[in-house]
């Protein structure tokens, strides 16, 4: 791939770090349809706050036609939380012509139609029905997750120590928590606001400027840290600083009394910032669900701009590649004209903590959707076990990031299974079913790569090490759907700042798109069980 050339440096007022923002040349398919940065929901309620603490920008230009890397950077920078990731996916689907469904309504679907719905605004299922769909036809699915390890505000976050205002947090998932120290942090997430008519509105908020920091202890007071290791206590040492203790003087008298009486669970200074972001009064904020987020933007890195440096690559990189592959695989009516199956993307929340939630892969969300789709498209058809027959013909790609070989720790990988960056998607195997891949599902997925001349790699964890897992086994065992686990190789997994190869993003996108376009013809050639 051609290197990205920096074309413009615009210094603005904030002393914050540089953000990489791709130019319009990269954004060939969706960028021309973009609206204003803060996008309204169907009920015209703003999804995001209106603050725009802009930081210095570097525009980029790529000469690589068809690359989605610039779009991914935009998506990552927009998606500080699962709520924002889902809202941005929703915006892109609507811009591409997909119709928003409500799980509470009766669905009226038809062949050739493109649809999606969200759950909790942190889980999303999108699908396109082939023009030649018939009852019992299969579903071709790429599933990923929207959440990443992070810090979350506790229900009562306000505390103070030694003249500082502190924000109490809880750890979410298995993060590399030492990487969160000495970072420029802020807050983002969901807020429930009371409307003027007494209704309650869901709004997203993102405070772009650095608000918080978790400082490390000076080495003069911890002389053995480099020898013995940094071992913070996650309850007492991982507490961000918000301000010095001056918040009472910063509030107007009326706001001060309201804040102290009704918002004691959180610092009134923090609530004031949120109210300004949302253009509402403090007392109208009835609930908050906030993550601590790193403010450093996603960008290209490396001497040849061959890397992506970013938070939340696990697993927003997979989520975006899947979403974009679905959108582009059915961009025109002709794209679905010969398709018998239903193409689907499912993006779940809470994978990092086990998926057992209303919006996680452990819930029957995807399979309930499949059953409803089959039922809606059946019309007057009366037949035997249409849903079960559809599942038997279906195939799931569980897409989650993969452990790339670390050049300083090569011994951590089994010597014949060391995935590298820029070498394509990694198929994950585990004999103990920590991954759902089988010999048959791996073959089918590799056959797609072979036909399209795409590189592929394979990974097995060492026998003397534990193995992580994914949503693959959860979904595969849910109703018995054929599944392959795969992912993009990365380093620094679960760090506040991760790294993957730029070329692998485009390879993953091409592989998923080829899966949607060609799996039907490949699958019908394989004969098993009959």
């Amino acid at each position: 791939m051609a290197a990205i050339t920096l074309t413009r440096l615009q210094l603005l007022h904030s002393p914050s770090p540089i953000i990489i923002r791709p130019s319009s040349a990269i954004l060939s398919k969706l960028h021309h349809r973009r609206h204003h940065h803060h996008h309204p929901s169907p009920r015209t309620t703003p999804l995001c706050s209106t603050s725009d603490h802009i930081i210095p920008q570097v525009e980029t230009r790529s000469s690589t036609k068809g690359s989605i890397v610039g779009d991914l950077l935009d998506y990552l920078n927009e998606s500080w939380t699962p709520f924002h990731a889902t809202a941005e996916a929703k915006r892109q689907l609507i811009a591409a012509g997909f119709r928003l469904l409500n799980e509470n309504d009766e669905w009226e679907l038809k062949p050739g139609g493109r649809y999606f719905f969200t759950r909790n605004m942190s889980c999303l299922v999108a699908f396109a029905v082939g023009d030649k769909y018939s009852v019992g036809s299969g579903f071709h699915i790429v599933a990923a997750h929207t959440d990443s390890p992070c810090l979350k505000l506790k229900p009562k976050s306000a505390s103070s120590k030694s003249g500082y205002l502190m924000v109490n947090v809880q750890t979410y998932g298995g993060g590399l928590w030492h990487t969160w120290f000495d970072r420029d942090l802020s807050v983002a997430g969901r807020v429930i606001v009371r409307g003027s008519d007494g209704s309650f509105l869901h709004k997203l908020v993102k405070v772009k400027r650095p608000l918080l920091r978790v400082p490390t202890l000076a080495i003069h007071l911890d002389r053995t840290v480099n020898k013995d290791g940094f071992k913070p206590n996650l309850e007492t040492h991982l507490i961000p600083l918000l301000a010095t203790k001056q918040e009472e003087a910063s509030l107007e008298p009326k706001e001060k009394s309201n804040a102290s009486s009704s918002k004691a669970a959180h610092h009134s200074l923090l609530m004031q910032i949120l109210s300004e972001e949302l253009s509402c009064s403090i007392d109208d904020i009835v609930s908050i669900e906030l993550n601590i987020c790193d403010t450093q933007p996603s960008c290209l890195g490396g001497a040849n701009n061959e890397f992506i440096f970013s938070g939340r690559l696990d697993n927003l990189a997979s989520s975006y590649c899947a979403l974009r592959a679905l959108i582009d695989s059915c961009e025109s009516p002709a794209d679905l004209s010969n398709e018998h199956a239903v193409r689907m993307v499912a993006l779940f929340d809470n994978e990092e903590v086990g998926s057992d939630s209303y919006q996680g892969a452990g819930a029957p969300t995807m399979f309930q959707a499949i059953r409803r789709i089959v039922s809606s498209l059946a019309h007057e058809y009366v037949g035997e076990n249409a849903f079960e027959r559809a599942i038997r013909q279906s195939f799931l790609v569980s897409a989650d990031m993969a452990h790339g070989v670390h050049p300083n720790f090569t011994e951590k990988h089994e010597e014949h299974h060391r995935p590298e960056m820029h070498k394509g998607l990694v198929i994950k195997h585990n004999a103990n079913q920590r991954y759902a891949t089988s010999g048959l599902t791996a073959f089918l997925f590799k056959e797609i790569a072979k036909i399209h001349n795409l590189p592929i790699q394979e990974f097995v964890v060492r026998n003397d090490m534990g193995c992580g897992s994914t949503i693959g086994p959860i979904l595969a065992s849910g109703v018995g759907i054929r599944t392959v686990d795969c992912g993009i190789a990365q380093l620094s997994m679960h760090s506040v700042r991760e790294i993957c190869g730029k070329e692998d993003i485009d390879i993953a996108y091409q592989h998923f798109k080829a899966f949607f376009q060609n799996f039907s013809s490949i699958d019908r050639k394989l004969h098993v069980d009959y």
Side-chain angles (χ1 to χ4, degrees):
M1 287 191 174
I4 292 220
T5 304
L6 305 183
T7 61
R8 183 168 65 89
L9 179 62
Q10 179 185 7
L11 295 178
L12 301 177
H13 302 294
S14 169
S16 306
I18 290 175
I19 183 171
I20 294 290
R21 191 177 299 277
S23 69
S24 58
I26 301 177
L27 311 180
S28 57
K29 292 189 180 291
L30 292 177
H31 213 270
H32 68 282
R33 292 183 294 223
R34 286 208 160 163
H35 303 299
H36 191 272
H37 181 74
H38 306 292
H39 314 290
S41 71
R43 53 189 298 177
T44 71
T45 301
L47 285 174
C48 298
S49 59
T50 56
S51 175
D52 196 17
H53 302 284
I54 302 176
I55 54 184
Q57 299 181 24
V58 175
E59 288 201 2
T60 63
R61 184 173 299 274
S62 173
S63 61
T64 306
K65 185 178 180 180
S67 173
I68 68 164
V69 170
D71 295 321
L72 172 66
L73 292 176
D74 274 354
Y75 182 73
L76 291 167
N77 284 320
E78 185 67 30
S79 304
W80 281 19
T81 71
F83 305 119
H84 291 83
T86 304
E88 177 59 15
K90 172 183 176 180
R91 187 195 66 78
Q92 294 194 20
L93 286 163
I94 290 174
F98 281 68
R99 176 185 157 200
L100 175 62
L101 302 173
N102 189 320
E103 284 192 282
N104 297 329
D105 298 336
E106 185 175 352
W107 293 355
E108 295 182 4
L109 312 178
K110 62 181 181 180
R114 297 173 296 167
Y115 311 92
F116 77 99
F117 66 89
T118 65
R119 176 178 286 193
N120 189 52
M121 193 47 74
S122 62
C123 167
L124 179 147
V125 176
F127 58 95
V129 184
D131 277 329
K132 294 186 176 179
Y133 173 88
S134 60
V135 176
S137 293
F139 288 69
H140 302 158
I141 309 164
V142 181
H145 64 89
T146 58
D147 62 318
S148 304
C150 66
L151 304 176
K152 292 179 176 284
L153 265 65
K154 290 182 177 179
K156 296 181 178 180
S157 70
S159 67
S160 60
K161 294 180 182 179
S162 303
Y164 293 99
L165 300 183
M166 315 289 287
V167 177
N168 290 326
V169 296
Q170 52 184 326
T171 57
Y172 175 85
L176 289 172
W177 302 121
H178 67 275
T179 66
W180 287 74
F181 283 75
D182 294 336
R183 302 291 301 184
D184 296 343
L185 305 173
S186 191
V187 295
R190 169 166 61 192
V191 177
I192 305 300
V193 177
R194 183 187 293 107
S196 58
D197 61 353
S199 62
F200 298 102
L201 307 176
H202 159 105
K203 290 191 177 184
L204 302 189
V205 65
K206 181 196 301 180
V207 182
K208 297 179 183 179
R209 65 184 176 94
L211 285 181
L212 304 165
R213 194 174 178 95
V214 186
T216 49
L217 184 63
I219 193 169
H220 313 82
L221 305 178
D222 191 8
R223 291 287 187 181
T224 64
V225 65
N226 289 330
K227 180 181 67 174
D228 298 338
F230 182 45
K231 303 173 183 178
N233 182 293
L234 300 184
E235 178 63 24
T236 60
H237 298 157
L238 194 61
I239 307 176
L241 306 179
L242 174 66
T244 48
K245 202 169 185 179
Q246 298 174 340
E247 66 170 307
E248 295 301 320
S250 69
L251 291 174
E252 296 295 328
K254 181 179 179 181
E255 292 290 346
K256 185 195 306 182
S257 62
N258 290 344
S260 60
S261 63
S262 62
K263 300 298 176 186
H266 306 286
H267 286 301
S268 54
L269 180 57
L270 176 61
M271 299 305 296
Q272 180 181 2
I273 292 171
L274 293 176
S275 71
E276 291 170 355
E277 292 282 327
L278 294 162
S279 300
C280 69
S281 72
I282 292 176
D283 280 345
D284 284 336
I285 300 175
V286 298
S287 177
I288 65 174
E289 188 174 349
L290 299 179
N291 292 1
I292 304 296
C293 304
D294 186 17
T295 60
Q296 184 175 359
S298 306
C299 63
L300 297 182
N304 298 310
N305 282 320
E306 69 265 48
F307 302 126
I308 294 175
F309 297 156
S310 175
R312 307 174 302 282
L313 287 173
D314 178 14
N315 189 34
L316 291 183
S318 303
S319 296
Y320 185 72
C321 289
L323 176 73
R324 184 62 177 271
L326 176 64
I327 289 173
D328 291 353
S329 73
C330 54
E331 188 173 23
S332 69
D335 292 334
L336 295 171
S337 60
N338 292 313
E339 179 63 84
H340 293 262
V342 177
R343 300 172 183 176
M344 178 179 282
V345 163
L347 307 180
F348 297 101
D349 194 3
N350 298 136
E351 188 275 344
E352 297 293 355
V353 292
S355 297
D356 292 334
S357 69
Y358 168 72
Q359 57 274 355
T365 310
M366 189 180 79
F367 298 118
Q368 287 176 347
I370 293 175
R371 188 181 293 277
R372 293 186 68 176
I373 293 166
V374 171
S375 176
S376 176
L377 293 170
H379 300 297
E380 301 302 321
Y381 172 87
V382 177
E384 184 263 341
N385 296 329
F387 170 75
E388 287 76 11
R389 289 190 290 115
I391 291 295
R392 296 293 82 76
Q393 298 189 70
S394 297
F395 192 93
L396 172 72
V397 177
S398 169
D400 205 346
M401 301 298 279
H403 297 287
V405 62
H406 195 304
N408 298 331
F409 300 91
T410 56
E411 71 280 0
K412 295 294 184 179
H413 276 70
E414 196 274 328
E415 62 176 330
H416 300 296
H417 299 86
R418 291 175 172 170
E420 300 177 37
M421 289 188 189
H422 318 302
K423 298 294 180 66
L425 281 172
V426 180
I427 296 179
K428 305 175 185 179
H429 301 262
N430 185 262
N432 296 300
Q433 295 302 298
R434 298 294 289 171
Y435 303 128
T437 306
S438 70
L440 288 176
T441 61
F443 161 74
L444 288 168
F445 200 61
K446 286 189 286 187
E447 193 68 11
I448 296 167
K450 179 180 177 181
I451 292 172
H452 291 268
N453 197 29
L454 296 170
I456 199 78
Q457 306 180 79
E458 296 184 277
F459 171 76
V460 179
V461 74
R462 289 171 57 106
N463 290 328
D464 55 1
M465 294 179 64
C467 183
S469 191
T470 68
I471 60 176
I474 296 171
L475 296 173
S477 62
V479 293
I481 185 172
R482 295 175 297 169
T483 301
V484 64
D485 267 297
C486 70
I488 299 166
Q490 75 162 102
L491 298 176
S492 304
M493 186 178 287
H494 287 194
S495 170
V496 72
R497 196 75 177 167
E498 300 172 320
I499 174 175
C500 73
K502 181 178 71 173
E503 289 188 36
D504 288 324
I505 297 300
D506 286 324
I507 293 171
Y509 158 71
Q510 292 163 14
H511 204 143
F512 295 156
K513 186 177 178 182
F515 165 70
F516 286 131
Q517 293 173 329
N518 303 124
F519 185 78
S520 293
S521 61
I522 295 171
D523 189 36
R524 68 172 60 104
K525 297 177 183 178
L526 179 65
H527 302 286
V528 180
D529 297 325
Y530 57 90

